[in-house]
Amino acid sequence: MGALRPGAVLDRSVAEIARAWARLDPTAAGAWVAHFPAGIGRQMALGSLLNIWGNQDRVAATAWVRALPDETLHTQAVDFLAAYE
């Protein structure tokens, strides 16, 4: 079986995995998402993660966002948290 190629199905799948994982262990899900290369898949997964995490524990989600070293990821995460207020 070959690797999945980038595309809409993969992006949606990654976002759904992030959403489900965020309900169980948002810190681990966040670490997983933070390792993604920049792109639509990472944006979708980040949005799913922060939608769940921001509603479950906004303080922890905000602390995680503040600690992100990648400037682009940090900016996207701030935008998602603001959108889910």
Side-chain angles (χ1 to χ4, degrees):
M1 182 184 295
L4 289 173
R5 292 191 239 322
V9 172
L10 179 60
D11 293 341
R12 284 192 306 271
S13 297
V14 166
E16 287 305 314
I17 291 167
R19 181 183 315 283
W21 198 354
R23 287 184 177 103
L24 302 172
D25 188 346
T27 303
W32 182 65
V33 170
H35 284 93
F36 289 2
I40 298 299
R42 182 172 80 175
Q43 284 180 282
M44 290 176 69
L46 183 63
S48 293
L49 166 70
L50 291 175
N51 185 3
I52 299 299
W53 199 358
N55 286 316
Q56 286 180 344
D57 186 347
R58 186 138 193 111
V59 172
T62 300
W64 179 80
V65 168
R66 286 186 180 145
L68 288 170
D70 179 292
E71 186 175 331
T72 301
L73 183 62
H74 177 266
T75 300
Q76 291 170 342
V78 167
D79 290 346
F80 278 121
L81 272 181
Y84 299 133
E85 285 186 318

